[in-house]
PDB file of all heavy atoms in Angstrom:
ATOM      1  N   HIS A  14     126.337 107.718 118.322  1.00 42.00           N
ATOM      2  CA  HIS A  14     126.961 107.735 116.986  1.00 42.00           C
ATOM      3  C   HIS A  14     128.429 107.984 117.084  1.00 42.00           C
ATOM      4  O   HIS A  14     128.901 108.808 117.886  1.00 42.00           O
ATOM      5  CB  HIS A  14     126.269 108.811 116.151  1.00 42.00           C
ATOM      6  CG  HIS A  14     126.827 108.955 114.804  1.00 42.00           C
ATOM      7  ND1 HIS A  14     126.674 108.005 113.822  1.00 42.00           N
ATOM      8  CD2 HIS A  14     127.662 109.906 114.248  1.00 42.00           C
ATOM      9  CE1 HIS A  14     127.317 108.372 112.741  1.00 42.00           C
ATOM     10  NE2 HIS A  14     127.912 109.501 112.970  1.00 42.00           N
ATOM     11  N   ILE A  15     129.174 107.277 116.285  1.00 43.00           N
ATOM     12  CA  ILE A  15     130.629 107.450 116.264  1.00 43.00           C
ATOM     13  C   ILE A  15     131.055 108.079 114.959  1.00 43.00           C
ATOM     14  O   ILE A  15     130.688 107.542 113.874  1.00 43.00           O
ATOM     15  CB  ILE A  15     131.375 106.090 116.461  1.00 43.00           C
ATOM     16  CG1 ILE A  15     130.981 105.469 117.803  1.00 43.00           C
ATOM     17  CG2 ILE A  15     132.878 106.283 116.353  1.00 43.00           C
ATOM     18  CD1 ILE A  15     131.548 104.088 118.020  1.00 43.00           C
ATOM     19  N   ASN A  16     131.733 109.182 114.980  1.00 47.00           N
ATOM     20  CA  ASN A  16     132.169 109.865 113.768  1.00 47.00           C
ATOM     21  C   ASN A  16     133.462 109.249 113.277  1.00 47.00           C
ATOM     22  O   ASN A  16     134.474 109.296 113.971  1.00 47.00           O
ATOM     23  CB  ASN A  16     132.356 111.361 114.024  1.00 47.00           C
ATOM     24  CG  ASN A  16     132.542 112.165 112.730  1.00 47.00           C
ATOM     25  OD1 ASN A  16     133.076 111.668 111.783  1.00 47.00           O
ATOM     26  ND2 ASN A  16     132.107 113.384 112.771  1.00 47.00           N
ATOM     27  N   SER A  17     133.415 108.661 112.105  1.00 58.00           N
ATOM     28  CA  SER A  17     134.589 107.959 111.563  1.00 58.00           C
ATOM     29  C   SER A  17     135.454 108.830 110.666  1.00 58.00           C
ATOM     30  O   SER A  17     136.493 108.344 110.215  1.00 58.00           O
ATOM     31  CB  SER A  17     134.080 106.772 110.757  1.00 58.00           C
ATOM     32  OG  SER A  17     133.407 107.184 109.588  1.00 58.00           O
ATOM     33  N   GLY A  18     135.051 110.067 110.413  1.00 81.00           N
ATOM     34  CA  GLY A  18     135.810 110.915 109.493  1.00 81.00           C
ATOM     35  C   GLY A  18     135.198 110.909 108.110  1.00 81.00           C
ATOM     36  O   GLY A  18     135.499 111.765 107.302  1.00 81.00           O
ATOM     37  N   GLU A  19     134.286 109.916 107.836  1.00 92.00           N
ATOM     38  CA  GLU A  19     133.576 109.943 106.581  1.00 92.00           C
ATOM     39  C   GLU A  19     132.450 111.037 106.609  1.00 92.00           C
ATOM     40  O   GLU A  19     131.989 111.350 107.738  1.00 92.00           O
ATOM     41  CB  GLU A  19     132.968 108.581 106.312  1.00 92.00           C
ATOM     42  CG  GLU A  19     133.981 107.466 106.078  1.00 92.00           C
ATOM     43  CD  GLU A  19     133.353 106.103 105.931  1.00 92.00           C
ATOM     44  OE1 GLU A  19     132.297 105.849 106.576  1.00 92.00           O
ATOM     45  OE2 GLU A  19     133.852 105.298 105.135  1.00 92.00           O
ATOM     46  N   PRO A  20     132.034 111.520 105.493  1.00 97.00           N
ATOM     47  CA  PRO A  20     130.967 112.525 105.476  1.00 97.00           C
ATOM     48  C   PRO A  20     129.700 111.927 106.132  1.00 97.00           C
ATOM     49  O   PRO A  20     129.317 110.796 105.903  1.00 97.00           O
ATOM     50  CB  PRO A  20     130.735 112.793 104.016  1.00 97.00           C
ATOM     51  CG  PRO A  20     131.991 112.420 103.333  1.00 97.00           C
ATOM     52  CD  PRO A  20     132.560 111.272 104.127  1.00 97.00           C
ATOM     53  N   LEU A  21     129.056 112.746 106.957  1.00 98.00           N
ATOM     54  CA  LEU A  21     127.841 112.314 107.632  1.00 98.00           C
ATOM     55  C   LEU A  21     126.646 112.245 106.650  1.00 98.00           C
ATOM     56  O   LEU A  21     126.399 113.230 105.936  1.00 98.00           O
ATOM     57  CB  LEU A  21     127.483 113.238 108.811  1.00 98.00           C
ATOM     58  CG  LEU A  21     126.142 112.978 109.510  1.00 98.00           C
ATOM     59  CD1 LEU A  21     126.138 111.589 110.091  1.00 98.00           C
ATOM     60  CD2 LEU A  21     125.909 114.019 110.571  1.00 98.00           C
ATOM     61  N   VAL A  22     125.987 111.100 106.643  1.00 98.00           N
ATOM     62  CA  VAL A  22     124.829 110.891 105.788  1.00 98.00           C
ATOM     63  C   VAL A  22     123.602 110.612 106.691  1.00 98.00           C
ATOM     64  O   VAL A  22     123.670 109.776 107.573  1.00 98.00           O
ATOM     65  CB  VAL A  22     125.041 109.743 104.814  1.00 98.00           C
ATOM     66  CG1 VAL A  22     123.808 109.562 103.945  1.00 98.00           C
ATOM     67  CG2 VAL A  22     126.275 109.945 103.958  1.00 98.00           C
ATOM     68  N   TYR A  23     122.509 111.313 106.397  1.00 98.00           N
ATOM     69  CA  TYR A  23     121.243 111.032 107.031  1.00 98.00           C
ATOM     70  C   TYR A  23     120.334 110.343 106.036  1.00 98.00           C
ATOM     71  O   TYR A  23     120.145 110.851 104.919  1.00 98.00           O
ATOM     72  CB  TYR A  23     120.561 112.298 107.533  1.00 98.00           C
ATOM     73  CG  TYR A  23     120.618 112.490 109.052  1.00 98.00           C
ATOM     74  CD1 TYR A  23     121.648 113.148 109.667  1.00 98.00           C
ATOM     75  CD2 TYR A  23     119.645 111.899 109.848  1.00 98.00           C
ATOM     76  CE1 TYR A  23     121.728 113.315 111.013  1.00 98.00           C
ATOM     77  CE2 TYR A  23     119.700 112.040 111.238  1.00 98.00           C
ATOM     78  CZ  TYR A  23     120.709 112.753 111.806  1.00 98.00           C
ATOM     79  OH  TYR A  23     120.791 112.875 113.175  1.00 98.00           O
ATOM     80  N   ILE A  24     119.789 109.195 106.384  1.00 98.00           N
ATOM     81  CA  ILE A  24     118.857 108.469 105.550  1.00 98.00           C
ATOM     82  C   ILE A  24     117.458 108.682 106.106  1.00 98.00           C
ATOM     83  O   ILE A  24     117.156 108.324 107.229  1.00 98.00           O
ATOM     84  CB  ILE A  24     119.168 106.928 105.551  1.00 98.00           C
ATOM     85  CG1 ILE A  24     120.584 106.690 105.028  1.00 98.00           C
ATOM     86  CG2 ILE A  24     118.152 106.173 104.721  1.00 98.00           C
ATOM     87  CD1 ILE A  24     121.029 105.258 105.151  1.00 98.00           C
ATOM     88  N   ILE A  25     116.604 109.360 105.324  1.00 98.00           N
ATOM     89  CA  ILE A  25     115.258 109.750 105.777  1.00 98.00           C
ATOM     90  C   ILE A  25     114.227 108.826 105.139  1.00 98.00           C
ATOM     91  O   ILE A  25     114.185 108.706 103.907  1.00 98.00           O
ATOM     92  CB  ILE A  25     114.988 111.204 105.439  1.00 98.00           C
ATOM     93  CG1 ILE A  25     115.972 112.108 106.154  1.00 98.00           C
ATOM     94  CG2 ILE A  25     113.556 111.575 105.821  1.00 98.00           C
ATOM     95  CD1 ILE A  25     115.902 113.556 105.743  1.00 98.00           C
ATOM     96  N   ILE A  26     113.428 108.216 105.966  1.00 98.00           N
ATOM     97  CA  ILE A  26     112.363 107.327 105.508  1.00 98.00           C
ATOM     98  C   ILE A  26     111.014 107.846 106.037  1.00 98.00           C
ATOM     99  O   ILE A  26     110.813 107.912 107.268  1.00 98.00           O
ATOM    100  CB  ILE A  26     112.552 105.894 105.973  1.00 98.00           C
ATOM    101  CG1 ILE A  26     113.966 105.366 105.557  1.00 98.00           C
ATOM    102  CG2 ILE A  26     111.454 104.992 105.423  1.00 98.00           C
ATOM    103  CD1 ILE A  26     114.297 104.048 106.120  1.00 98.00           C
ATOM    104  N   VAL A  27     110.109 108.200 105.158  1.00 96.00           N
ATOM    105  CA  VAL A  27     108.775 108.626 105.568  1.00 96.00           C
ATOM    106  C   VAL A  27     107.859 107.408 105.574  1.00 96.00           C
ATOM    107  O   VAL A  27     107.872 106.593 104.633  1.00 96.00           O
ATOM    108  CB  VAL A  27     108.183 109.703 104.616  1.00 96.00           C
ATOM    109  CG1 VAL A  27     106.733 109.971 104.914  1.00 96.00           C
ATOM    110  CG2 VAL A  27     109.031 110.982 104.714  1.00 96.00           C
ATOM    111  N   ASN A  28     107.079 107.253 106.630  1.00 96.00           N
ATOM    112  CA  ASN A  28     106.235 106.068 106.794  1.00 96.00           C
ATOM    113  C   ASN A  28     104.825 106.468 107.195  1.00 96.00           C
ATOM    114  O   ASN A  28     104.626 107.350 108.034  1.00 96.00           O
ATOM    115  CB  ASN A  28     106.846 105.138 107.841  1.00 96.00           C
ATOM    116  CG  ASN A  28     105.967 103.922 108.107  1.00 96.00           C
ATOM    117  OD1 ASN A  28     105.863 103.054 107.275  1.00 96.00           O
ATOM    118  ND2 ASN A  28     105.336 103.914 109.267  1.00 96.00           N
ATOM    119  N   TYR A  29     103.826 105.796 106.630  1.00 94.00           N
ATOM    120  CA  TYR A  29     102.454 105.943 107.071  1.00 94.00           C
ATOM    121  C   TYR A  29     101.755 104.600 106.997  1.00 94.00           C
ATOM    122  O   TYR A  29     101.512 104.061 105.891  1.00 94.00           O
ATOM    123  CB  TYR A  29     101.711 106.994 106.248  1.00 94.00           C
ATOM    124  CG  TYR A  29     100.232 107.093 106.582  1.00 94.00           C
ATOM    125  CD1 TYR A  29      99.880 107.553 107.862  1.00 94.00           C
ATOM    126  CD2 TYR A  29      99.249 106.723 105.694  1.00 94.00           C
ATOM    127  CE1 TYR A  29      98.538 107.674 108.197  1.00 94.00           C
ATOM    128  CE2 TYR A  29      97.899 106.817 106.030  1.00 94.00           C
ATOM    129  CZ  TYR A  29      97.563 107.281 107.297  1.00 94.00           C
ATOM    130  OH  TYR A  29      96.238 107.371 107.669  1.00 94.00           O
ATOM    131  N   ASN A  30     101.521 104.013 108.122  1.00 94.00           N
ATOM    132  CA  ASN A  30     100.856 102.680 108.224  1.00 94.00           C
ATOM    133  C   ASN A  30     101.493 101.641 107.321  1.00 94.00           C
ATOM    134  O   ASN A  30     100.814 100.863 106.680  1.00 94.00           O
ATOM    135  CB  ASN A  30      99.369 102.838 107.877  1.00 94.00           C
ATOM    136  CG  ASN A  30      98.584 103.553 108.992  1.00 94.00           C
ATOM    137  OD1 ASN A  30      98.987 103.558 110.118  1.00 94.00           O
ATOM    138  ND2 ASN A  30      97.467 104.157 108.633  1.00 94.00           N
ATOM    139  N   GLY A  31     102.842 101.665 107.289  1.00 93.00           N
ATOM    140  CA  GLY A  31     103.579 100.712 106.465  1.00 93.00           C
ATOM    141  C   GLY A  31     104.494  99.831 107.345  1.00 93.00           C
ATOM    142  O   GLY A  31     105.657  99.604 106.964  1.00 93.00           O
ATOM    143  N   ARG A  32     103.978  99.328 108.416  1.00 95.00           N
ATOM    144  CA  ARG A  32     104.782  98.663 109.447  1.00 95.00           C
ATOM    145  C   ARG A  32     105.661  97.573 108.859  1.00 95.00           C
ATOM    146  O   ARG A  32     106.890  97.547 109.093  1.00 95.00           O
ATOM    147  CB  ARG A  32     103.872  98.065 110.520  1.00 95.00           C
ATOM    148  CG  ARG A  32     104.605  97.404 111.677  1.00 95.00           C
ATOM    149  CD  ARG A  32     103.603  96.833 112.677  1.00 95.00           C
ATOM    150  NE  ARG A  32     104.278  96.323 113.849  1.00 95.00           N
ATOM    151  CZ  ARG A  32     104.780  95.112 113.938  1.00 95.00           C
ATOM    152  NH1 ARG A  32     104.769  94.299 112.902  1.00 95.00           N
ATOM    153  NH2 ARG A  32     105.374  94.748 115.072  1.00 95.00           N
ATOM    154  N   GLU A  33     105.131  96.657 108.096  1.00 96.00           N
ATOM    155  CA  GLU A  33     105.901  95.508 107.597  1.00 96.00           C
ATOM    156  C   GLU A  33     106.891  95.946 106.490  1.00 96.00           C
ATOM    157  O   GLU A  33     108.006  95.452 106.452  1.00 96.00           O
ATOM    158  CB  GLU A  33     104.996  94.410 107.084  1.00 96.00           C
ATOM    159  CG  GLU A  33     104.288  93.649 108.210  1.00 96.00           C
ATOM    160  CD  GLU A  33     105.301  93.129 109.254  1.00 96.00           C
ATOM    161  OE1 GLU A  33     106.241  92.438 108.880  1.00 96.00           O
ATOM    162  OE2 GLU A  33     105.108  93.479 110.448  1.00 96.00           O
ATOM    163  N   LEU A  34     106.447  96.852 105.618  1.00 96.00           N
ATOM    164  CA  LEU A  34     107.369  97.389 104.620  1.00 96.00           C
ATOM    165  C   LEU A  34     108.535  98.070 105.292  1.00 96.00           C
ATOM    166  O   LEU A  34     109.706  97.865 104.924  1.00 96.00           O
ATOM    167  CB  LEU A  34     106.654  98.376 103.724  1.00 96.00           C
ATOM    168  CG  LEU A  34     105.638  97.852 102.715  1.00 96.00           C
ATOM    169  CD1 LEU A  34     104.892  99.011 102.030  1.00 96.00           C
ATOM    170  CD2 LEU A  34     106.337  97.002 101.658  1.00 96.00           C
ATOM    171  N   LEU A  35     108.240  98.855 106.311  1.00 97.00           N
ATOM    172  CA  LEU A  35     109.279  99.617 107.025  1.00 97.00           C
ATOM    173  C   LEU A  35     110.243  98.650 107.730  1.00 97.00           C
ATOM    174  O   LEU A  35     111.452  98.831 107.741  1.00 97.00           O
ATOM    175  CB  LEU A  35     108.643 100.542 108.042  1.00 97.00           C
ATOM    176  CG  LEU A  35     109.597 101.388 108.873  1.00 97.00           C
ATOM    177  CD1 LEU A  35     110.416 102.336 108.001  1.00 97.00           C
ATOM    178  CD2 LEU A  35     108.804 102.241 109.898  1.00 97.00           C
ATOM    179  N   ARG A  36     109.709  97.609 108.346  1.00 97.00           N
ATOM    180  CA  ARG A  36     110.526  96.620 109.059  1.00 97.00           C
ATOM    181  C   ARG A  36     111.543  95.993 108.096  1.00 97.00           C
ATOM    182  O   ARG A  36     112.730  95.865 108.398  1.00 97.00           O
ATOM    183  CB  ARG A  36     109.686  95.555 109.699  1.00 97.00           C
ATOM    184  CG  ARG A  36     110.459  94.490 110.486  1.00 97.00           C
ATOM    185  CD  ARG A  36     109.587  93.370 110.953  1.00 97.00           C
ATOM    186  NE  ARG A  36     108.971  92.662 109.830  1.00 97.00           N
ATOM    187  CZ  ARG A  36     109.615  91.759 109.059  1.00 97.00           C
ATOM    188  NH1 ARG A  36     110.899  91.454 109.304  1.00 97.00           N
ATOM    189  NH2 ARG A  36     108.984  91.146 108.062  1.00 97.00           N
ATOM    190  N   ARG A  37     111.038  95.581 106.909  1.00 97.00           N
ATOM    191  CA  ARG A  37     111.947  94.966 105.905  1.00 97.00           C
ATOM    192  C   ARG A  37     112.983  95.931 105.417  1.00 97.00           C
ATOM    193  O   ARG A  37     114.156  95.593 105.190  1.00 97.00           O
ATOM    194  CB  ARG A  37     111.100  94.418 104.751  1.00 97.00           C
ATOM    195  CG  ARG A  37     110.269  93.226 105.138  1.00 97.00           C
ATOM    196  CD  ARG A  37     109.247  92.891 104.039  1.00 97.00           C
ATOM    197  NE  ARG A  37     109.841  92.643 102.772  1.00 97.00           N
ATOM    198  CZ  ARG A  37     109.169  92.313 101.651  1.00 97.00           C
ATOM    199  NH1 ARG A  37     107.866  92.252 101.699  1.00 97.00           N
ATOM    200  NH2 ARG A  37     109.828  92.067 100.502  1.00 97.00           N
ATOM    201  N   CYS A  38     112.577  97.188 105.223  1.00 97.00           N
ATOM    202  CA  CYS A  38     113.517  98.229 104.736  1.00 97.00           C
ATOM    203  C   CYS A  38     114.601  98.463 105.759  1.00 97.00           C
ATOM    204  O   CYS A  38     115.816  98.475 105.413  1.00 97.00           O
ATOM    205  CB  CYS A  38     112.733  99.505 104.477  1.00 97.00           C
ATOM    206  SG  CYS A  38     113.804 100.901 103.941  1.00 97.00           S
ATOM    207  N   LEU A  39     114.235  98.629 107.031  1.00 98.00           N
ATOM    208  CA  LEU A  39     115.200  98.908 108.095  1.00 98.00           C
ATOM    209  C   LEU A  39     116.126  97.669 108.309  1.00 98.00           C
ATOM    210  O   LEU A  39     117.309  97.855 108.601  1.00 98.00           O
ATOM    211  CB  LEU A  39     114.501  99.270 109.384  1.00 98.00           C
ATOM    212  CG  LEU A  39     113.756 100.575 109.382  1.00 98.00           C
ATOM    213  CD1 LEU A  39     113.027 100.803 110.693  1.00 98.00           C
ATOM    214  CD2 LEU A  39     114.681 101.738 109.127  1.00 98.00           C
ATOM    215  N   GLN A  40     115.579  96.476 108.195  1.00 98.00           N
ATOM    216  CA  GLN A  40     116.391  95.288 108.338  1.00 98.00           C
ATOM    217  C   GLN A  40     117.450  95.223 107.264  1.00 98.00           C
ATOM    218  O   GLN A  40     118.607  94.917 107.518  1.00 98.00           O
ATOM    219  CB  GLN A  40     115.506  94.043 108.265  1.00 98.00           C
ATOM    220  CG  GLN A  40     116.215  92.742 108.637  1.00 98.00           C
ATOM    221  CD  GLN A  40     116.601  92.710 110.095  1.00 98.00           C
ATOM    222  OE1 GLN A  40     115.797  93.022 110.963  1.00 98.00           O
ATOM    223  NE2 GLN A  40     117.856  92.347 110.332  1.00 98.00           N
ATOM    224  N   SER A  41     117.095  95.593 106.023  1.00 98.00           N
ATOM    225  CA  SER A  41     118.037  95.558 104.941  1.00 98.00           C
ATOM    226  C   SER A  41     119.091  96.647 105.082  1.00 98.00           C
ATOM    227  O   SER A  41     120.249  96.444 104.669  1.00 98.00           O
ATOM    228  CB  SER A  41     117.313  95.731 103.568  1.00 98.00           C
ATOM    229  OG  SER A  41     116.861  97.036 103.352  1.00 98.00           O
ATOM    230  N   LEU A  42     118.746  97.745 105.695  1.00 98.00           N
ATOM    231  CA  LEU A  42     119.719  98.852 105.891  1.00 98.00           C
ATOM    232  C   LEU A  42     120.828  98.453 106.832  1.00 98.00           C
ATOM    233  O   LEU A  42     121.909  99.016 106.787  1.00 98.00           O
ATOM    234  CB  LEU A  42     118.987 100.096 106.431  1.00 98.00           C
ATOM    235  CG  LEU A  42     118.376 101.016 105.402  1.00 98.00           C
ATOM    236  CD1 LEU A  42     117.511 102.072 106.093  1.00 98.00           C
ATOM    237  CD2 LEU A  42     119.449 101.691 104.579  1.00 98.00           C
TER     238      LEU A  42
END
Side-chain angles (χ1 to χ4, degrees):
H14 178 70
I15 299 175
N16 191 330
S17 66
E19 295 176 326
L21 174 61
V22 180
Y23 254 92
I24 301 172
I25 299 172
I26 305 171
V27 172
N28 177 72
Y29 176 65
N30 288 336
R32 184 181 186 276
E33 287 308 305
L34 287 172
L35 181 62
R36 182 188 61 79
R37 290 169 59 181
C38 178
L39 293 176
Q40 189 66 48
S41 73
L42 274 171

